[in-house]
Amino acid sequence: MTKHIFVTGGVVSSLGKGLTSASIGLLLERRGLTVRMQKLDPYINVDPGTMSPYQHGEVYVLDDGSETDLDLGHYERFTSSPLSRKSNYTTGRIYQSVIEKERRGEYLGATVQVVPHVTDEIKSAVLNLAEPGVDVVITELGGTVGDIEGQPFLEAIRQIPLEIGKQNCLFIHLTLVPYLKAAGEAKTKPTQHSVGQLRQIGIQPDILIVRTERALGREHTDKIALFCNVEKNAVIEEVDKEFSIYEVPLGLVEHRLDRLIIDKLGLPLGELRMDDWRKLMQRIRQPEQEVTIAVVGKYIDHFDAYKSIYEALDHAGFAHSARVLIKRIEAEEVERQSPEALLKGVDGILVPGGFGKRGVEGKVQAIEFARQCEIPFFGICLGMQCAVIEFARHVLGLKEANSSEFDKHSPDPVICLLEDQKTVTEKGGTMRLGAQPCRLREGTLTAAAYGSTEISERHRHRYEFNPQYRQEFEANGMIAAGLSPNGQLVEVVEIPDHPWFVAVQYHPEFKSKPHQPQPLFAGFVQAALARHQQRAHQTL
Ligand code: GLN
């Protein structure tokens, strides 16, 4: 029988519920259990694909092409749980399917209501992940207890123990215990209120994880246990981590969270295998070298907008025992000042993906600077398209070259709409999405980095390299290093006459793990380190 863990959050948002859920998944896997991960998001968008990064942060793309919440990125980085469309549901998606059923007449004349029809739909989304061979399904509920839109989800998960047995379910609630400097004290009242709200709905948490800036000690955790009706040993503190998010699971092990969950669910207690993770932590804590990478983007002031890119850069650093210092640069600022002013002294330049015209000229200028000054450059999706535009303008002399996304009347649309996008009118879920195979050209930096010429990476775009210009680019020094298997779509470009200039139409950042960096990120950071050392040598 598959067991179910539900992770809810209270007091404030951004408590790191996703990270904590992912860490729980990791610990259970490291005890030999098979885990599935899932996130329920109470907002009404069918998926986050149509939301601005300012609203939502990054949209995380899965192999099957679903556009999902960025917490799924944590799940993939921490666990080996396979993720799919079944791993992320929103209110919009739940209602969409209820309404479609109603239109098909499947409710046989019933009045369709939130309880039981919407809650049944939510329950089946959760229970669907239970299958033979799966020991535990971890379902994280987005938002904060008390949100109006979260109510049907809480009601649905409240009903699940009645259906599958109390002994098969575990409720974990994550809250914040703030430290008030003025009072010199940690305050437990918001946690008490938040648990009170959960209990009003009929959910009694089995385990409380309290996020705190400083260690609390027994006095506080015992008090929380008493007021929240939770066993003393089931109040776990999660103290803020100084170095890295990858320390979170180790902190939870110290508080024996893994054993507690296994005991409470009656699961077999396998040996905890964390040696490689501990070694990774050592490498993270004591880096031997440092490298500075500029990320030139348009949502730079939003921490979550390029989440997976920042993580993938870190992973590449771990592999080289290097600390990657990320200099976040607003593309429009490059236009206002100059590339020299902002980029001088960096060891590598990365231009990430994006949509819309704002900041594009700044990105093009940053790429010109990287190309001319022989600074390692990595372009991703829009970053690749900008690299193509830059090369067309400044090397091929096509002064008005552009993407037809930004200039419909450009005489040289070196980036143009993909053929099967031309008839698309709806915005949601209609891009070229998900895993696509790609064939790499032998002898390229890209093929060397992957150690293979057959790869698969995830995509999310509408525009592509215009094949009419391919010969002209190749003849002048920018080559197509990767193509779709039918040879039609250019997926990777490189400049062989440059220390490291690689730009890809796909999103390699979605397949990087802390102990298994994505090959191009690893290659890019290695090239940046080489430049760093070379320059240090020159100044000696
Ligand atoms: N806006 C570009 C396109 O649609 C790039 C997309 C991206 O960077 N994800 O093709």
Side-chain angles (χ1 to χ4, degrees), residues 459-501:
H459 292 244
R460 182 173 186 251
H461 63 116
R462 294 190 201 279
Y463 293 82
E464 62 159 333
F465 184 108
N466 186 339
Q468 286 174 9
Y469 289 87
R470 200 169 128 199
Q471 260 188 344
E472 204 177 339
F473 273 80
E474 299 233 342
N476 287 281
M478 179 178 266
I479 61 161
L483 296 172
S484 56
N486 64 6
Q488 298 300 306
L489 305 176
V490 176
E491 313 281 34
V492 187
V493 294
E494 279 187 22
I495 298 180
D497 191 20
H498 182 285
W500 208 93
F501 193 107

Side-chain angles (χ1 to χ4, degrees), residues 523-538:
F524 171 56
V525 167
Q526 190 173 19
L529 277 164
R531 178 182 159 85
H532 185 83
Q533 278 149 11
Q534 190 191 356
R535 288 196 316 155
H537 203 71
Q538 279 164 1

